[in-house]
Amino acid sequence: GAVVSQHPSRVICKSGTSVKIECRSLDFQATTMFWYRQFPKKSLMLMATSNEGSKATYEQGVEKDKFLINHASLTLSTLTVTSAHPEDSSFYICSARGGAASPLHFGNGTRLTVT
Amino acid sequence: AQKVTQAQTEISVVEKEDVTLDCVYETRDTTYYLFWYKQPPSGELVFLIRRNSFDEQNEISGRYSWNFQKSTSSFNFTITASQVVDSAVYFCALLNYGGSQGNLIFGKGTKLSVKP
């Protein structure tokens, strides 16, 4: 079946540094990818929608300059957390689908810890 | 307003018991999809089922079954003869097609603990 690979699974970084998270669709072309953030004991919150070749659409309250999203190809989207703060520590999950009627497939998530 | 409510925050059962996870949704759209995902302790989300708004047939897959009732805006998930490996957080989600691409709206999840 369709597989979405997310890398890295865990990352620890220092405050002020940037970290990049990759989301790849392995056996299908993902026209749309979504980035979610999961706070402890809370649901997944959509951060942004990424379409290949165009700018991402961010949800209200999500800082565009802090969470940079690039969807350069039909199989790869990246989320870069810039100038990371301890408050950015969270679990980030990407998802991808081939078309509007296709089910979403999720990556395994990235546990980000900012010290 | 579009919303998914999973009223049960945590459920604990003993192995072999049946358990039903509730999901109630709100949407103004006539075309939408409903999903269930499983999130085991390792964190990844596992797709379980997708149901479109025009198909109210109940579905059974092994020990899993789903009951979709548009009249009550519910999409409940039942695990029969639960096993320890079923322990996870289960999310119900709604996907609307009101916009050009739709966003997946999650409920807050129900944490299921199955004890031996």
Side-chain angles (χ1 to χ4, degrees):
Chain A
V3 178
V4 172
S5 173
Q6 189 172 338
H7 179 80
S9 57
R10 290 179 180 274
V11 59
I12 300 173
C13 70
K14 292 185 178 179
S15 282
T17 61
S18 295
V19 62
K20 181 185 284 188
I21 303 169
E22 292 187 349
C23 180
R24 292 180 186 273
S25 57
L26 297 186
D27 58 0
F28 67 100
Q29 292 186 327
T31 53
T32 306
M33 288 186 172
F34 299 88
W35 287 95
Y36 298 84
R37 180 173 178 177
Q38 186 176 28
F39 294 92
K41 297 188 178 181
K42 291 195 177 180
S43 187
L44 290 138
M45 302 300 294
L46 179 65
M47 297 174 66
T49 303
S50 162
N51 289 306
E52 185 267 336
S54 63
K55 289 184 179 180
T57 303
Y58 289 81
E59 295 300 301
Q60 196 170 14
V62 178
E63 298 176 60
K64 301 177 184 182
D65 296 331
K66 180 164 191 60
F67 299 100
L68 300 178
I69 291 172
N70 186 294
H71 193 158
S73 76
L74 283 170
T75 59
L76 174 66
S77 176
T78 60
L79 167 67
T80 301
V81 183
T82 62
S83 188
H85 263 246
E87 305 90 77
D88 299 326
S89 298
S90 193
F91 192 63
Y92 295 86
I93 303 179
C94 73
S95 67
R97 65 178 181 213
S102 304
L104 282 174
H105 296 278
F106 286 82
N108 286 356
T110 298
R111 173 74 59 195
L112 170 64
T113 303
V114 184
T115 59
Chain B
Q2 293 151 7
K3 188 179 173 183
V4 175
T5 302
Q6 292 179 258
Q8 304 147 310
T9 307
E10 293 194 39
I11 300 176
S12 182
V13 298
V14 177
E15 214 171 14
K16 297 185 184 176
E17 283 185 21
D18 298 347
V19 59
T20 295
L21 309 181
D22 297 333
C23 174
V24 175
Y25 63 93
E26 293 175 35
T27 180
R28 292 180 186 169
D29 291 343
T30 55
T31 304
Y32 53 90
Y33 287 90
L34 294 164
F35 299 79
W36 275 96
Y37 287 90
K38 175 182 179 180
Q39 187 179 40
S42 47
E44 75 273 19
L45 277 171
V46 178
F47 169 79
L48 296 178
I49 191 171
R50 179 183 68 166
R51 171 68 65 201
N52 76 53
S53 52
F54 298 110
D55 182 2
E56 283 193 74
Q57 258 192 328
N58 291 331
E59 181 155 339
I60 298 175
S61 176
R63 296 184 297 107
Y64 295 168
S65 61
W66 290 269
N67 185 344
F68 177 27
Q69 303 245 346
K70 284 181 81 169
S71 59
T72 55
S73 296
S74 64
F75 187 43
N76 296 338
F77 172 34
T78 298
I79 302 175
T80 303
S82 59
Q83 299 176 1
V84 173
V85 293
D86 295 327
S87 296
V89 180
Y90 290 85
F91 290 98
C92 179
L94 167 70
L95 182 65
N96 286 289
Y97 280 91
S100 59
Q101 48 191 350
N103 293 333
L104 200 63
I105 300 162
F106 285 90
K108 293 190 174 178
T110 297
K111 183 177 181 181
L112 174 64
S113 298
V114 181
K115 301 184 177 174

